[in-house]
């Protein structure tokens, strides 16, 4: 009666098939049943943000999405998730704008000690065309300049919060000076 894999949970005082109808199921009861069945997403780490949605990845490779404002959680990718680019980076603030409106230089903090230029570049090359990199390994940070702002945003979304040799990378648009 509750659907495939979802047990029917009666509202207080209701009886199965009362008055010849189906059982009355409350929203709270459904949420509790789903939670007990382990189907409400939780845990993992945030791997991306688009518009009002944050994507979380679990160790088993599954992803789920959380609406930043309402707290709604879903396993299904929201319809507008891929259509709205985030410009928040790691700080929750809009990306800094330089002369001409934008730039494609990102800051990468919390780098492992002694990281080489080649290793640093290899971390980011899958996100697009790299114009230049600069690593300041003794201070544990670096910069990557991409050909486009979109490539830089993809790198931020893909690498911010990633664990490299026990350190969580901090990736965001660099301050334009």
């Amino acid at each position: 009666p509750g659907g495939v894999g979802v047990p029917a949970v009666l509202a207080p005082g209701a009886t199965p098939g009362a008055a010849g109808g189906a059982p009355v199921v409350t929203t709270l009861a459904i949420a509790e049943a789903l939670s007990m069945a382990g189907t409400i997403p939780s845990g993992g780490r945030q791997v991306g943000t688009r518009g009002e949605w944050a994507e979380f990845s679990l160790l088993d490779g599954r992803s789920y999405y959380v609406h930043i404002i309402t707290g709604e959680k879903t396993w299904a990718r929201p319809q507008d998730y891929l259509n709205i680019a985030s410009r928040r980076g790691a700080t929750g603030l809009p990306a800094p704008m330089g002369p001409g409106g934008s730039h494609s230089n990102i800051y990468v903090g919390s780098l492992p000690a002694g990281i080489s230029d080649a290793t640093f570049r290899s971390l980011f090359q899958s996100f697009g065309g790299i114009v230049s990199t600069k690593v300041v390994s003794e201070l544990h940070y670096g910069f990557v300049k991409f050909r486009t702002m979109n490539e830089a945003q993809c790198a931020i979304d893909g690498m911010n919060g990633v664990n490299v040799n026990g350190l969580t990378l901090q990736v965001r648009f660099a301050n334009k000076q």
Side-chain angles (χ1 to χ4, degrees):
V4 177
V6 180
V9 180
L10 300 178
T15 59
V24 178
V25 181
T26 66
T27 303
L28 178 60
I30 291 172
E32 288 172 353
L34 290 175
S35 180
M36 286 186 281
T39 60
I40 293 181
S42 65
R45 67 175 178 84
Q46 185 174 341
V47 296
T49 306
R50 293 278 192 276
E52 296 176 349
W53 291 94
E55 179 181 5
F56 288 80
S57 179
L58 301 175
L59 292 176
D60 64 7
R62 295 180 300 159
S63 292
Y64 69 94
Y65 303 85
V66 177
H67 193 273
I68 296 168
I69 297 170
T70 66
E72 173 190 354
K73 295 179 180 181
T74 180
W75 289 108
R77 179 178 287 142
Q79 187 174 19
D80 61 346
Y81 181 80
L82 293 178
N83 299 331
I84 304 171
S86 169
R87 297 287 183 249
R88 290 186 287 193
T91 62
L93 300 173
M97 296 295 179
S102 64
H103 69 86
S104 59
N105 196 27
I106 62 172
Y107 163 85
V108 183
S110 297
L111 290 173
I115 191 168
S116 70
D117 290 334
T119 302
F120 181 66
R121 179 180 280 269
S122 71
L123 287 172
F124 291 91
Q125 66 189 12
S126 66
F127 295 101
I130 295 176
V131 174
S132 64
T133 61
K134 177 167 180 63
V135 178
V136 185
S137 60
E138 63 275 5
L139 297 177
H140 308 286
Y141 71 88
F143 296 94
V144 181
K145 181 162 182 63
F146 286 92
R147 284 184 303 202
T148 68
M149 189 171 150
N150 189 41
E151 291 171 339
Q153 184 65 52
C154 288
I156 290 168
D157 292 342
M159 293 298 289
N160 186 45
V162 168
N163 188 307
V164 176
N165 293 346
L167 297 171
T168 303
L169 294 183
Q170 299 171 6
V171 185
R172 61 181 177 263
F173 279 101
N175 294 331
K176 190 76 171 174
Q177 295 188 10

